[in-house]
């Protein structure tokens, strides 16, 4: 079942249960998926493309969340936290810190990285492996710590 099918089913459920917040988030994600498929000129997006869009939506909300927290806008912080929780339902299971460190260590050995100069090679090799299952900034910190 594609993400669009899942979203359509969840949208029906949200309408029946009158869950306006979930309904709004689902509509935003569906619009992003449809815009991307129009932009790419495709009828159906691949799982990777869907995951990229979901990750982008989640990242935008996380960035906004940090901005609102810094500005002291608790009303908007709570709203964004709820949206983030809804979006995370559609994301793949996140990697634990141990799993992430193991993937980083394995990739460092694969690309034969020895110093921070090899950071780009390591990151470009890791990101496709963990797509949607870990935050890029978290991966970046682990790679830096391993390359020291």
């Amino acid at each position: 079942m594609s993400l669009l099918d899942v979203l359509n089913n969840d949208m029906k459920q949200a309408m029946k249960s009158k869950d306006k917040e979930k309904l709004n988030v689902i509509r935003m994600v569906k619009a992003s998926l449809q815009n991307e498929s129009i932009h790419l000129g495709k009828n159906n997006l691949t799982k990777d493309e869907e995951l990229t869009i979901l990750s982008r939506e989640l990242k935008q909300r996380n960035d906004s969340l940090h901005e609102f927290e810094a500005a002291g806008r608790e009303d908007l912080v709570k709203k964004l936290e709820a949206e983030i929780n809804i979006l995370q339902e559609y994301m793949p299971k996140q990697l634990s810190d141990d799993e992430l460190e193991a993937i980083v260590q394995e990739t460092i050995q694969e690309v034969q990285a020895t110093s921070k100069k090899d950071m780009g090679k390591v990151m470009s090799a890791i990101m496709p492996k963990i797509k949607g299952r870990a935050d890029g900034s978290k991966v970046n910190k682990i790679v830096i710590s391993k390359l020291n």
Side-chain angles (χ1 to χ4, degrees):
M1 185 182 276
S2 75
L3 179 61
L4 209 50
D5 294 335
V6 172
L7 288 170
N8 283 329
N9 290 336
D10 288 355
M11 190 165 94
K12 289 175 191 171
Q13 286 301 116
M15 286 175 165
K16 287 177 184 174
S17 64
K18 297 188 185 338
D19 186 349
K20 289 184 179 181
E21 198 164 24
K22 187 168 188 170
L23 187 59
N24 287 336
V25 172
I26 291 171
R27 283 180 174 154
M28 282 188 271
V29 172
K30 278 187 62 179
S32 293
L33 288 168
Q34 289 169 337
N35 287 339
E36 190 69 18
S37 71
I38 290 168
H39 177 74
L40 295 174
K42 294 181 175 182
N43 284 337
N44 297 321
L45 297 174
T46 65
K47 291 274 185 204
D48 270 356
E49 291 165 338
E50 291 174 344
L51 191 56
T52 299
I53 294 163
L54 270 178
S55 297
R56 184 182 327 139
E57 292 289 322
L58 197 56
K59 183 175 180 352
Q60 286 173 351
R61 282 167 180 76
N62 279 321
D63 291 346
S64 296
L65 180 69
H66 296 303
E67 294 294 320
F68 291 145
E69 284 174 341
R73 296 289 311 266
E74 283 304 309
D75 55 330
L76 296 174
V77 167
K78 290 192 184 328
K79 181 180 181 285
L80 276 176
E81 285 174 342
E83 287 183 11
I84 288 168
N85 289 334
I86 292 167
L87 279 173
Q88 285 177 335
E89 293 174 22
Y90 301 103
M91 294 294 289
K93 182 182 168 286
Q94 297 294 295
L95 294 169
S96 70
D97 290 345
D98 293 337
E99 292 171 321
L100 197 53
E101 284 192 33
I103 291 171
V104 167
Q105 191 62 46
E106 176 187 310
T107 306
I108 287 173
Q109 290 170 353
E110 280 176 16
V111 298
Q112 300 170 349
T114 55
S115 68
K116 284 188 178 182
K117 291 178 187 174
D118 300 321
M119 180 85 176
K121 281 197 298 189
V122 175
M123 289 300 289
S124 63
I126 287 177
M127 293 315 284
K129 292 180 185 179
I130 60 160
K131 188 172 194 124
R133 299 185 300 154
D135 182 43
S137 60
K138 189 176 184 181
V139 175
N140 194 356
K141 288 176 188 170
I142 293 173
V143 170
I144 288 172
S145 71
K146 297 282 184 190
L147 289 178
N148 278 339

